[in-house]
Amino acid sequence: MERVCVIGAGSSGIAACQVLAARGIAYDCYETGSEVGGNWRYLNDNGMSSAYRSLHINTSRQIMEYASFPMPEDCPVYPSHFHIARYFDSFVDHFGLRPSISFRTEVVRVEPVPGGGWSVTTRRLDSGETAEQLYGAVLVANGHHWKPRWPRPSLPGAEGFTGTQTHSHDYRTPEPFADKRVLVLGIGNSACDIAVETSRVSRRTVLAMRRGAHILPKYLFGVPTDHLTGSWLARAPLSVQEAGLRLLLRLSRGRLRDYGLPTPRHRVLGAHPTISDDLLSRLGHGDLTVKPAPVRLEGDRVTFEDGSTEEFDAVVYCTGYDIAFPFLKDEVIDPSDNDIDLFHRVVAPDRPGLYFIGLVQPLGAIMPLAEAQSHWVADLLEGRCGLPDPERMRRETSTYRARLARRYVTSTRHTIQVDARAYLRELRTERRRGAARVRRAATGR
């Protein structure tokens, strides 16, 4: 079997490394930073981490942990990024993966080779030395929360705004916003966290949004909210899940409009969840103000959709991320608008040997999904599983897109959305089908 290349040593990359090592599949892993952990390594010297100092996971550790390496029992239910980074270090050292990872090494180019395989060009960041090596397969695990997505087009007047404009990707602590008038754009998890934090030190913080969102607490009646994914409710039809969760939220937090938030026009499970225990409290205390979306900036003033105008010293754009593969040409994989054709979110149908690990936005945690994806890819590499023809794979991606369109709000945020529990079943089913294809091929049936 030819050697395999793994790009990235974040949460998905190290999951792939562990599975490949356990299967005895030779591989090399390249990581731009000095340590493992990717987005979860605060102040990562790879320059790509969006972790801020107070960041905690929004899924409980029982949901987040790798199946092959449970998190320690003394770890908090909702660990901070410091806990997660230590967990990743322990994971890598427990399985002896560190020697297989080339740190401070950037993958600058990945190209298909005529006749099969992939040419991978790397560059040592400290010396500038480049190298080219051939691989039988490439597992891309470079993450999708590192390239900030700014408003397109930019807000009218943004170039002349006299205050500061930053993206949530670059936010670390609230101190730079002390005694300032702060506008936070968005209603996702980062927007809520940043608005809550800056409201404690700023002169005034306003949270502005294009549409409403359902705000889920981290605990419902004393139980981590995501534990519902393992309850009877998660096994019910989607309409029953919707009705049950809507009732639980109404009983536990009341109506969002009573806090000054717009009532969402979409279903509870019709968008990626926004999870916050602090936002509603800060709104209820009057420490935060909600506004509709801004329409233009002029000097230090911002005008909103409702016609109101207000002065600000800083604007923080919590407007998401673009999926990007700087080492792949667009004719190989085109990530425009975060819309990528991948069979079961992993396999590039027309690019044999090119796989993507962790390129999903789950209702749940990404780590066990990346682990399951890696097991499927290892089956394919070992010949235990086979793939259908490219046309059938493309039909699957079309079906997936249609399901997304029916369920979720139209947004670049939802182009790679999956339900963790259902997706794990999907991968298990495909592994069985892939094994059956190999058996049929062996018997000529």
Side-chain angles (χ1 to χ4, degrees), residues 371-391:
E371 192 176 28
Q373 290 175 330
S374 300
H375 277 292
W376 176 35
V377 171
D379 285 350
L380 294 169
L381 294 173
E382 291 180 325
R384 297 186 185 187
C385 279
L387 292 169
D389 62 74
E391 182 55 36

PDB file of all heavy atoms in Angstrom, residues 371-391:
ATOM      1  N   GLU A 371     -13.289  10.843  13.490  1.00  0.00           N
ATOM      2  CA  GLU A 371     -12.778   9.507  13.796  1.00  0.00           C
ATOM      3  C   GLU A 371     -13.494   8.459  12.938  1.00  0.00           C
ATOM      4  O   GLU A 371     -12.849   7.578  12.342  1.00  0.00           O
ATOM      5  CB  GLU A 371     -12.989   9.237  15.281  1.00  0.00           C
ATOM      6  CG  GLU A 371     -12.276   8.042  15.838  1.00  0.00           C
ATOM      7  CD  GLU A 371     -12.481   7.934  17.348  1.00  0.00           C
ATOM      8  OE1 GLU A 371     -13.525   8.413  17.854  1.00  0.00           O
ATOM      9  OE2 GLU A 371     -11.601   7.374  18.017  1.00  0.00           O
ATOM     10  N   ALA A 372     -14.822   8.557  12.852  1.00  0.00           N
ATOM     11  CA  ALA A 372     -15.598   7.606  12.046  1.00  0.00           C
ATOM     12  C   ALA A 372     -15.279   7.758  10.565  1.00  0.00           C
ATOM     13  O   ALA A 372     -15.182   6.757   9.833  1.00  0.00           O
ATOM     14  CB  ALA A 372     -17.098   7.820  12.298  1.00  0.00           C
ATOM     15  N   GLN A 373     -15.134   8.987  10.085  1.00  0.00           N
ATOM     16  CA  GLN A 373     -14.746   9.206   8.691  1.00  0.00           C
ATOM     17  C   GLN A 373     -13.396   8.549   8.392  1.00  0.00           C
ATOM     18  O   GLN A 373     -13.204   7.935   7.335  1.00  0.00           O
ATOM     19  CB  GLN A 373     -14.649  10.706   8.406  1.00  0.00           C
ATOM     20  CG  GLN A 373     -15.968  11.442   8.381  1.00  0.00           C
ATOM     21  CD  GLN A 373     -15.766  12.939   8.223  1.00  0.00           C
ATOM     22  OE1 GLN A 373     -14.758  13.501   8.665  1.00  0.00           O
ATOM     23  NE2 GLN A 373     -16.723  13.608   7.602  1.00  0.00           N
ATOM     24  N   SER A 374     -12.465   8.668   9.318  1.00  0.00           N
ATOM     25  CA  SER A 374     -11.126   8.109   9.129  1.00  0.00           C
ATOM     26  C   SER A 374     -11.160   6.594   9.045  1.00  0.00           C
ATOM     27  O   SER A 374     -10.406   5.988   8.263  1.00  0.00           O
ATOM     28  CB  SER A 374     -10.209   8.567  10.268  1.00  0.00           C
ATOM     29  OG  SER A 374     -10.095   9.984  10.300  1.00  0.00           O
ATOM     30  N   HIS A 375     -12.030   5.959   9.818  1.00  0.00           N
ATOM     31  CA  HIS A 375     -12.166   4.498   9.732  1.00  0.00           C
ATOM     32  C   HIS A 375     -12.692   4.086   8.359  1.00  0.00           C
ATOM     33  O   HIS A 375     -12.244   3.084   7.789  1.00  0.00           O
ATOM     34  CB  HIS A 375     -13.098   3.995  10.835  1.00  0.00           C
ATOM     35  CG  HIS A 375     -12.413   3.819  12.155  1.00  0.00           C
ATOM     36  ND1 HIS A 375     -11.468   2.841  12.371  1.00  0.00           N
ATOM     37  CD2 HIS A 375     -12.539   4.501  13.328  1.00  0.00           C
ATOM     38  CE1 HIS A 375     -11.033   2.907  13.616  1.00  0.00           C
ATOM     39  NE2 HIS A 375     -11.664   3.914  14.216  1.00  0.00           N
ATOM     40  N   TRP A 376     -13.648   4.848   7.830  1.00  0.00           N
ATOM     41  CA  TRP A 376     -14.160   4.532   6.494  1.00  0.00           C
ATOM     42  C   TRP A 376     -13.058   4.694   5.443  1.00  0.00           C
ATOM     43  O   TRP A 376     -12.870   3.825   4.588  1.00  0.00           O
ATOM     44  CB  TRP A 376     -15.358   5.429   6.182  1.00  0.00           C
ATOM     45  CG  TRP A 376     -15.906   5.243   4.791  1.00  0.00           C
ATOM     46  CD1 TRP A 376     -15.979   4.084   4.061  1.00  0.00           C
ATOM     47  CD2 TRP A 376     -16.460   6.268   3.953  1.00  0.00           C
ATOM     48  NE1 TRP A 376     -16.550   4.320   2.835  1.00  0.00           N
ATOM     49  CE2 TRP A 376     -16.855   5.646   2.739  1.00  0.00           C
ATOM     50  CE3 TRP A 376     -16.675   7.633   4.127  1.00  0.00           C
ATOM     51  CZ2 TRP A 376     -17.444   6.371   1.698  1.00  0.00           C
ATOM     52  CZ3 TRP A 376     -17.269   8.352   3.090  1.00  0.00           C
ATOM     53  CH2 TRP A 376     -17.639   7.714   1.888  1.00  0.00           C
ATOM     54  N   VAL A 377     -12.313   5.800   5.531  1.00  0.00           N
ATOM     55  CA  VAL A 377     -11.231   6.026   4.574  1.00  0.00           C
ATOM     56  C   VAL A 377     -10.181   4.922   4.688  1.00  0.00           C
ATOM     57  O   VAL A 377      -9.664   4.425   3.679  1.00  0.00           O
ATOM     58  CB  VAL A 377     -10.599   7.416   4.775  1.00  0.00           C
ATOM     59  CG1 VAL A 377      -9.333   7.561   3.929  1.00  0.00           C
ATOM     60  CG2 VAL A 377     -11.605   8.508   4.421  1.00  0.00           C
ATOM     61  N   ALA A 378      -9.872   4.499   5.914  1.00  0.00           N
ATOM     62  CA  ALA A 378      -8.903   3.404   6.099  1.00  0.00           C
ATOM     63  C   ALA A 378      -9.418   2.122   5.442  1.00  0.00           C
ATOM     64  O   ALA A 378      -8.645   1.373   4.829  1.00  0.00           O
ATOM     65  CB  ALA A 378      -8.637   3.183   7.582  1.00  0.00           C
ATOM     66  N   ASP A 379     -10.715   1.851   5.539  1.00  0.00           N
ATOM     67  CA  ASP A 379     -11.307   0.695   4.846  1.00  0.00           C
ATOM     68  C   ASP A 379     -11.084   0.800   3.340  1.00  0.00           C
ATOM     69  O   ASP A 379     -10.746  -0.192   2.677  1.00  0.00           O
ATOM     70  CB  ASP A 379     -12.814   0.625   5.121  1.00  0.00           C
ATOM     71  CG  ASP A 379     -13.152   0.120   6.516  1.00  0.00           C
ATOM     72  OD1 ASP A 379     -12.238  -0.362   7.210  1.00  0.00           O
ATOM     73  OD2 ASP A 379     -14.335   0.224   6.898  1.00  0.00           O
ATOM     74  N   LEU A 380     -11.283   1.998   2.799  1.00  0.00           N
ATOM     75  CA  LEU A 380     -11.090   2.204   1.359  1.00  0.00           C
ATOM     76  C   LEU A 380      -9.630   2.009   0.971  1.00  0.00           C
ATOM     77  O   LEU A 380      -9.311   1.382  -0.047  1.00  0.00           O
ATOM     78  CB  LEU A 380     -11.563   3.611   0.962  1.00  0.00           C
ATOM     79  CG  LEU A 380     -13.061   3.889   1.091  1.00  0.00           C
ATOM     80  CD1 LEU A 380     -13.357   5.374   0.921  1.00  0.00           C
ATOM     81  CD2 LEU A 380     -13.856   3.079   0.076  1.00  0.00           C
ATOM     82  N   LEU A 381      -8.712   2.512   1.788  1.00  0.00           N
ATOM     83  CA  LEU A 381      -7.294   2.394   1.487  1.00  0.00           C
ATOM     84  C   LEU A 381      -6.829   0.935   1.543  1.00  0.00           C
ATOM     85  O   LEU A 381      -5.956   0.517   0.770  1.00  0.00           O
ATOM     86  CB  LEU A 381      -6.473   3.241   2.477  1.00  0.00           C
ATOM     87  CG  LEU A 381      -6.664   4.765   2.395  1.00  0.00           C
ATOM     88  CD1 LEU A 381      -5.945   5.448   3.532  1.00  0.00           C
ATOM     89  CD2 LEU A 381      -6.201   5.298   1.055  1.00  0.00           C
ATOM     90  N   GLU A 382      -7.413   0.177   2.458  1.00  0.00           N
ATOM     91  CA  GLU A 382      -7.028  -1.224   2.616  1.00  0.00           C
ATOM     92  C   GLU A 382      -7.741  -2.144   1.629  1.00  0.00           C
ATOM     93  O   GLU A 382      -7.443  -3.339   1.564  1.00  0.00           O
ATOM     94  CB  GLU A 382      -7.321  -1.688   4.042  1.00  0.00           C
ATOM     95  CG  GLU A 382      -6.421  -1.056   5.088  1.00  0.00           C
ATOM     96  CD  GLU A 382      -6.736  -1.547   6.497  1.00  0.00           C
ATOM     97  OE1 GLU A 382      -7.930  -1.791   6.786  1.00  0.00           O
ATOM     98  OE2 GLU A 382      -5.804  -1.691   7.306  1.00  0.00           O
ATOM     99  N   GLY A 383      -8.707  -1.604   0.902  1.00  0.00           N
ATOM    100  CA  GLY A 383      -9.459  -2.437  -0.024  1.00  0.00           C
ATOM    101  C   GLY A 383     -10.579  -3.211   0.627  1.00  0.00           C
ATOM    102  O   GLY A 383     -11.177  -4.097  -0.001  1.00  0.00           O
ATOM    103  N   ARG A 384     -10.897  -2.894   1.869  1.00  0.00           N
ATOM    104  CA  ARG A 384     -12.020  -3.568   2.535  1.00  0.00           C
ATOM    105  C   ARG A 384     -13.355  -3.047   2.014  1.00  0.00           C
ATOM    106  O   ARG A 384     -14.372  -3.742   2.093  1.00  0.00           O
ATOM    107  CB  ARG A 384     -11.962  -3.327   4.046  1.00  0.00           C
ATOM    108  CG  ARG A 384     -10.742  -3.894   4.741  1.00  0.00           C
ATOM    109  CD  ARG A 384     -10.880  -3.704   6.248  1.00  0.00           C
ATOM    110  NE  ARG A 384      -9.693  -4.123   6.969  1.00  0.00           N
ATOM    111  CZ  ARG A 384      -9.600  -4.180   8.292  1.00  0.00           C
ATOM    112  NH1 ARG A 384     -10.650  -3.854   9.033  1.00  0.00           N
ATOM    113  NH2 ARG A 384      -8.475  -4.557   8.875  1.00  0.00           N
ATOM    114  N   CYS A 385     -13.349  -1.805   1.563  1.00  0.00           N
ATOM    115  CA  CYS A 385     -14.558  -1.176   1.033  1.00  0.00           C
ATOM    116  C   CYS A 385     -14.292  -0.687  -0.382  1.00  0.00           C
ATOM    117  O   CYS A 385     -13.158  -0.357  -0.731  1.00  0.00           O
ATOM    118  CB  CYS A 385     -14.961   0.030   1.895  1.00  0.00           C
ATOM    119  SG  CYS A 385     -15.859  -0.386   3.400  1.00  0.00           S
ATOM    120  N   GLY A 386     -15.339  -0.632  -1.170  1.00  0.00           N
ATOM    121  CA  GLY A 386     -15.260  -0.061  -2.497  1.00  0.00           C
ATOM    122  C   GLY A 386     -16.250   1.073  -2.636  1.00  0.00           C
ATOM    123  O   GLY A 386     -17.205   1.174  -1.863  1.00  0.00           O
ATOM    124  N   LEU A 387     -16.011   1.945  -3.608  1.00  0.00           N
ATOM    125  CA  LEU A 387     -16.898   3.075  -3.859  1.00  0.00           C
ATOM    126  C   LEU A 387     -17.795   2.794  -5.051  1.00  0.00           C
ATOM    127  O   LEU A 387     -17.422   2.055  -5.960  1.00  0.00           O
ATOM    128  CB  LEU A 387     -16.069   4.332  -4.143  1.00  0.00           C
ATOM    129  CG  LEU A 387     -15.259   4.896  -2.970  1.00  0.00           C
ATOM    130  CD1 LEU A 387     -14.290   5.955  -3.475  1.00  0.00           C
ATOM    131  CD2 LEU A 387     -16.178   5.464  -1.901  1.00  0.00           C
ATOM    132  N   PRO A 388     -18.966   3.399  -5.086  1.00  0.00           N
ATOM    133  CA  PRO A 388     -19.792   3.300  -6.302  1.00  0.00           C
ATOM    134  C   PRO A 388     -19.166   4.141  -7.404  1.00  0.00           C
ATOM    135  O   PRO A 388     -18.187   4.851  -7.188  1.00  0.00           O
ATOM    136  CB  PRO A 388     -21.141   3.871  -5.843  1.00  0.00           C
ATOM    137  CG  PRO A 388     -20.804   4.794  -4.725  1.00  0.00           C
ATOM    138  CD  PRO A 388     -19.611   4.195  -4.026  1.00  0.00           C
ATOM    139  N   ASP A 389     -19.729   4.092  -8.589  1.00  0.00           N
ATOM    140  CA  ASP A 389     -19.177   4.879  -9.688  1.00  0.00           C
ATOM    141  C   ASP A 389     -19.422   6.364  -9.423  1.00  0.00           C
ATOM    142  O   ASP A 389     -20.295   6.739  -8.631  1.00  0.00           O
ATOM    143  CB  ASP A 389     -19.809   4.457 -11.013  1.00  0.00           C
ATOM    144  CG  ASP A 389     -21.312   4.706 -11.047  1.00  0.00           C
ATOM    145  OD1 ASP A 389     -21.722   5.880 -11.168  1.00  0.00           O
ATOM    146  OD2 ASP A 389     -22.076   3.722 -10.917  1.00  0.00           O
ATOM    147  N   PRO A 390     -18.616   7.247 -10.044  1.00  0.00           N
ATOM    148  CA  PRO A 390     -18.723   8.687  -9.777  1.00  0.00           C
ATOM    149  C   PRO A 390     -20.117   9.256  -9.954  1.00  0.00           C
ATOM    150  O   PRO A 390     -20.535  10.141  -9.187  1.00  0.00           O
ATOM    151  CB  PRO A 390     -17.729   9.296 -10.771  1.00  0.00           C
ATOM    152  CG  PRO A 390     -16.710   8.234 -10.979  1.00  0.00           C
ATOM    153  CD  PRO A 390     -17.493   6.945 -10.937  1.00  0.00           C
ATOM    154  N   GLU A 391     -20.862   8.780 -10.929  1.00  0.00           N
ATOM    155  CA  GLU A 391     -22.204   9.309 -11.162  1.00  0.00           C
ATOM    156  C   GLU A 391     -23.122   9.027  -9.980  1.00  0.00           C
ATOM    157  O   GLU A 391     -23.905   9.889  -9.563  1.00  0.00           O
ATOM    158  CB  GLU A 391     -22.792   8.731 -12.438  1.00  0.00           C
ATOM    159  CG  GLU A 391     -24.173   9.276 -12.790  1.00  0.00           C
ATOM    160  CD  GLU A 391     -24.203  10.797 -12.881  1.00  0.00           C
ATOM    161  OE1 GLU A 391     -23.209  11.389 -13.347  1.00  0.00           O
ATOM    162  OE2 GLU A 391     -25.223  11.393 -12.449  1.00  0.00           O
TER     163      GLU A 391
END
